[in-house]
């Protein structure tokens, strides 16, 4: 694989390349509204020069003619995976109070290059913002996005919670979450598809993790699905702006919607299976309303075990069967292998190896649908 000298990369505990944006920047500054910058995901452009987002999987791509490229973000926006041309992807961090500029590459040969950036953590409390690129050359059109489109709706499993952790006893940290290495993004890359992500750790269909038996109506998935960014209802009222922006579903019409939910609803022994089934049916109705042509796939995997896994599979089979009898033949079911044999990530979440297996299994199934 062709590789270039990639300098001043920021990754985990490695030295950070940072600067204050109040200082002069060498090169040409291109703001987020530049038409050559390509965006993927639920992003708010209420301020086109400060686009906001907080779901993992948000992508910002750009083509450029020059020998170096730097990225500008709000300080403490979090972690990204970057890929320059076809070189190996690497992790980039905006983690310090003054980390607002990060060098992505330098000393490239003259010519046309491509940079692909993916936000790889859940940024709901960081409130990340993208603020542009700096290069010694000019921006050009990036490669076209794949024509196949997949939407993933999920929880911490889809987010990639703790998939870079070494032990199940490790707890959540931004440093060990890498959505780029989640089953969702690995499957999308194998299928040659672009993915939109609506996922949040702890979220459920009718109740979030360890929520009351009657449910958590304020910020479960059916509430979040309607909005551009993740936020609890209190934040809708308190902060307004991007946190209160309804998502425009015409911006992304997927071929397939994969729903991987139910783990949090069933994770503690305080659940109501009838309410969970109602929640699945309500979510399916909402997804179908906004994506009338999409194939909808209900997934299980991979943290549930034994009784709760049986309950989840049974309820989803019933929901799919009832949809078929009602005339919707584009609802499908797929069960991924429960975890255990391939180790664990943080807090007993799927390991990186488990995510690889999940992706391989899902790709084999989705190839038939796509």
């Amino acid at each position: 694989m062709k590789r270039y000298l990639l300098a001043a990369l920021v990754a985990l505990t490695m030295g950070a390349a940072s600067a204050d944006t109040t200082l002069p920047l060498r090169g040409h500054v291109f703001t987020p509204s530049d038409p050559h910058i390509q965006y993927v995901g639920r992003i708010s452009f209420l301020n086109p020069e400060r686009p906001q987002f907080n779901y993992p999987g948000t992508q910002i791509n750009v083509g450029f003619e020059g020998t170096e490229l730097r990225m500008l973000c709000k300080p403490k926006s979090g972690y990204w995976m970057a890929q320059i041309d076809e070189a190996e992807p690497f992790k980039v961090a905006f983690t310090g109070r003054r980390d607002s500029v990060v060098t992505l590459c330098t000393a490239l040969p003259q010519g046309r290059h491509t940079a692909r950036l993916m936000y790889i953590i859940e940024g709901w409390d960081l409130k990340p913002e993208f603020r542009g690129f700096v290069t010694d050359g000019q921006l050009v059109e990036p490669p076209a996005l794949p024509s196949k489109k997949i939407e993933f709706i999920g929880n911490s499993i889809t987010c990639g919670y703790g998939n870079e952790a070494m032990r199940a006893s490790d707890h959540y940290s931004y440093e060990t979450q890498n959505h780029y290495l989640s089953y969702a993004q690995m499957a999308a890359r194998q299928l040659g598809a672009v993915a939109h992500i609506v996922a949040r750790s702890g979220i459920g269909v009718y109740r979030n993790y360890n929520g009351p038996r009657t449910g958590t109506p304020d910020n479960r998935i059916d509430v979040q699905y309607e909005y551009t960014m993740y936020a609890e209802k209190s934040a809708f009222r308190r902060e307004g702006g991007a946190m209160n922006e309804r998502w425009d579903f015409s911006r992304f019409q997927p071929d397939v919607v994969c729903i991987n939910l139910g783990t949090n609803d069933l994770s503690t022994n305080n659940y109501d299976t009838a309410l969970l089934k109602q929640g699945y049916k309500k979510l399916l109705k909402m997804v179908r309303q906004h994506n009338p042509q999409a194939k909808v796939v209900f997934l299980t995997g991979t943290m549930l075990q034994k009784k709760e896994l049986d309950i989840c599979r049974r309820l989803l089979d019933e929901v799919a069967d009832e949809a078929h009898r009602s005339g919707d033949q584009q609802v499908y079911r797929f069960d991924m292998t429960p975890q255990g044999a391939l180790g664990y990530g943080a807090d007993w979440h799927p390991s990186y190896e488990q995510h690889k297996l999940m992706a391989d299994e899902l790709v084999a199934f989705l190839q038939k649908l796509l």
Side-chain angles (χ1 to χ4, degrees):
M1 179 181 293
K2 188 174 183 180
R3 301 176 190 276
Y4 299 121
L5 174 62
L6 303 177
L9 310 183
V10 184
L12 297 178
T13 57
M14 296 174 61
S18 62
D20 190 328
T21 52
T22 60
L23 298 177
L25 292 172
R26 184 182 73 253
H28 307 291
V29 178
F30 295 91
T31 65
S33 61
D34 189 283
H36 297 102
I37 300 175
Q38 182 186 81
Y39 295 94
V40 175
R42 292 197 173 194
I43 305 172
S44 172
F45 293 98
L46 291 181
N47 181 348
E49 303 303 342
R50 293 288 188 272
Q52 295 178 278
F53 46 90
N54 58 17
Y55 283 120
T58 300
Q59 297 178 50
I60 301 175
N61 306 319
V62 67
F64 64 102
E65 290 180 341
T67 65
E68 62 183 30
L69 184 70
R70 284 171 282 172
M71 183 180 185
L72 286 70
C73 283
K74 187 186 82 172
K76 301 188 75 172
S77 284
Y79 289 92
W80 299 75
M81 286 292 282
Q83 184 180 26
I84 307 301
D85 297 332
E86 300 305 319
E88 287 296 317
F90 54 90
K91 188 176 284 190
V92 169
F94 291 85
T95 54
R97 290 183 300 171
R98 292 169 62 88
D99 285 344
S100 55
V101 183
V102 167
T103 299
L104 301 176
C105 55
T106 189
L108 298 181
Q110 285 286 353
R112 179 169 294 207
H113 303 285
T114 301
R116 299 175 178 87
L117 288 303
M118 179 182 291
Y119 194 62
I120 58 171
I121 63 172
E122 301 169 68
W124 64 276
D125 59 337
L126 298 178
K127 300 179 175 62
E129 294 178 2
F130 170 62
R131 295 182 175 178
F133 289 111
V134 183
T135 180
D136 59 346
Q138 296 293 323
L139 299 190
V140 296
E141 290 292 332
L145 292 170
S147 59
K148 298 175 184 175
K149 300 176 182 178
I150 307 175
E151 180 175 73
F152 289 90
I153 305 173
N155 50 36
S156 57
I157 300 171
T158 300
C159 290
Y161 182 118
N163 59 351
E164 289 191 319
M166 301 303 293
R167 297 168 297 275
S169 58
D170 292 341
H171 297 304
Y172 178 81
S173 70
Y174 292 128
E175 289 84 358
T176 62
Q177 181 177 39
N178 192 335
H179 177 72
Y180 184 88
L181 301 178
S182 69
Y183 79 92
Q185 293 296 342
M186 286 194 279
R189 289 193 294 274
Q190 289 184 49
L191 291 165
V194 61
H196 265 218
I197 309 299
V198 184
R200 170 77 171 94
S201 291
I203 207 162
V205 177
Y206 98 96
R207 72 169 192 140
N208 294 346
Y209 178 77
N210 202 28
R213 184 181 181 87
T214 54
T216 49
D218 282 351
N219 65 329
R220 63 195 182 194
I221 194 64
D222 60 310
V223 175
Q224 302 305 322
Y225 191 65
E226 297 283 343
Y227 289 86
T228 300
M229 297 169 63
Y230 175 87
E232 297 183 1
K233 277 193 173 181
S234 60
F236 294 161
R237 296 188 293 268
R238 182 178 66 251
E239 299 184 25
M243 290 295 179
N244 199 35
E245 181 184 14
R246 294 271 181 171
W247 174 244
D248 178 3
F249 286 88
S250 68
R251 288 167 59 179
F252 188 81
Q253 283 288 298
D255 302 301
V256 175
V257 178
C258 292
I259 302 173
N260 189 354
L261 289 165
T263 300
N264 291 307
D265 302 83
L266 296 166
S267 58
T268 57
N269 191 25
N270 189 32
Y271 51 80
D272 185 314
T273 57
L275 291 177
L276 177 54
K277 182 176 178 179
Q278 289 178 21
Y280 278 131
K281 295 179 70 172
K282 180 179 181 181
L283 179 60
L284 175 58
K285 182 178 180 180
M286 181 180 294
V287 169
R288 177 58 72 219
Q289 175 187 348
H290 293 302
N291 307 280
Q293 304 303 319
K295 303 175 190 299
V296 179
V297 182
F298 280 107
L299 307 175
T300 64
T302 60
M303 294 179 69
L304 291 175
Q305 304 283 337
K306 300 179 180 179
K307 174 186 173 183
E308 282 70 28
L309 178 57
D310 290 340
I311 291 173
C312 188
R313 288 174 171 173
R314 174 177 59 81
L315 294 180
L316 290 176
D317 287 344
E318 292 175 1
V319 170
D321 289 342
E322 291 173 15
H324 297 163
R325 290 198 295 270
S326 298
D328 189 345
Q329 303 301 318
Q330 300 300 313
V331 179
Y332 301 83
R333 282 276 294 109
F334 184 72
D335 298 320
M336 293 180 285
T337 300
Q339 64 186 29
L342 297 175
Y344 299 94
D347 291 321
W348 302 94
H349 281 73
S351 66
Y352 166 65
E353 292 297 330
Q354 188 74 43
H355 275 278
K356 287 174 60 179
L357 175 61
M358 296 162 67
D360 290 343
E361 292 177 336
L362 185 58
V363 164
F365 179 78
L366 292 183
Q367 281 177 332
K368 305 170 186 177
L369 302 186
L370 289 170

